[in-house]
């Protein structure tokens, strides 16, 4: 009969959580880069395709508006992922600190301080939202410039 709270079981739980921790952390970074790439690509369409501005008129605002919406969506997706990541990180640290000091997974120094990673990611997405809003205004200004001054 194996002890469910024995050192071997604790070590296995720590290993499992470590894999989950790495997966969630990697996923967070991948989502950050993917959302950023998509948002920036949509935001620059009116500036890269200036010839289309006059032809499409207000329709050229669609990509920046989609980018703005994507930034909001990204904020909520990241908020959810960071919540899951935070739970895993907290549990991992609890189990890690419960291991005996001779265990290879025992922390060298206690990591009780909360990470600011979550705060910075949320602030980053809020910045993308704000920049997306101002980009819509700038794109609208570009349309008005094309229509009024260059006609």
């Amino acid at each position: 009969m194996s002890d469910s709270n024995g050192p071997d079981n604790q070590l296995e739980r720590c290993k499992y959580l470590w894999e989950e921790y790495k997966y969630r952390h990697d996923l967070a970074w991948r989502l950050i880069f993917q959302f950023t790439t998509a948002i920036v690509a949509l935001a620059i369409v009116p500036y890269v395709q200036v010839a289309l501005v006059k032809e499409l008129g207000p329709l050229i605002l669609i990509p920046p508006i989609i980018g703005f919406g994507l930034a909001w969506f990204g904020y909520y997706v990241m908020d959810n992922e960071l919540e899951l990541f935070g739970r895993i990180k907290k549990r991992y640290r609890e189990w890690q600190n419960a291991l005996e000091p001779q265990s290879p997974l025992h922390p060298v120094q206690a990591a009780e301080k909360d990470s600011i990673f979550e705060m910075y990611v949320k602030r980053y997405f809020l910045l993308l939202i704000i920049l997306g809003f101002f980009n819509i205004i700038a794109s609208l200004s570009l349309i008005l410039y094309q229509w009024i001054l260059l006609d």
Side-chain angles (χ1 to χ4, degrees):
M1 178 176 208
S2 68
D3 183 12
S4 63
N5 290 328
D8 289 339
N9 196 352
Q10 286 179 334
L11 187 60
E12 288 304 313
R13 287 189 290 185
C14 277
K15 286 179 182 178
Y16 170 77
L17 276 178
W18 176 245
E19 291 303 316
E20 187 68 18
Y21 178 94
K22 289 190 307 185
Y23 167 76
R24 291 288 172 190
H25 191 266
D26 182 56
L27 178 63
W29 278 108
R30 279 187 286 132
L31 287 173
I32 290 168
F33 287 120
Q34 289 170 351
F35 274 114
T36 300
T37 302
I39 291 165
V40 169
L42 290 166
I44 65 172
V45 168
Y47 309 106
V48 175
Q49 300 294 330
V50 178
L52 289 176
V53 172
K54 193 165 187 166
E55 291 178 39
L56 295 177
L59 293 177
I60 200 72
L61 288 174
I62 291 174
I65 291 171
I66 292 172
F68 178 71
L70 188 59
W72 273 108
F73 178 71
Y75 177 84
Y76 289 110
V77 167
M78 289 306 300
D79 187 49
N80 183 54
E81 285 302 321
L82 292 172
E83 173 69 26
L84 294 172
F85 178 66
R87 285 187 210 162
I88 291 165
K89 180 173 59 174
K90 182 180 177 187
R91 180 64 54 96
Y92 176 72
R93 286 182 180 169
E94 287 171 359
W95 286 355
Q96 186 184 40
N97 289 329
L99 289 174
E100 295 181 24
Q102 66 268 20
S103 168
L105 293 179
H106 194 275
V108 175
Q109 52 183 322
E112 294 300 323
K113 185 177 81 169
D114 283 338
S115 170
I116 55 174
F117 176 71
E118 292 90 351
M119 179 187 68
Y120 282 139
V121 170
K122 288 179 183 180
R123 284 184 181 178
Y124 175 74
F125 272 89
L126 288 175
L127 180 64
L128 286 177
I129 291 167
I130 292 167
L131 291 174
F133 175 75
F134 285 116
N135 184 52
I136 292 170
I137 293 171
S139 298
L140 185 57
S141 299
L142 181 65
I143 291 169
L144 293 175
Y145 175 78
Q146 290 283 330
W147 277 6
I148 295 171
L149 296 179
L150 298 180
D151 249 349

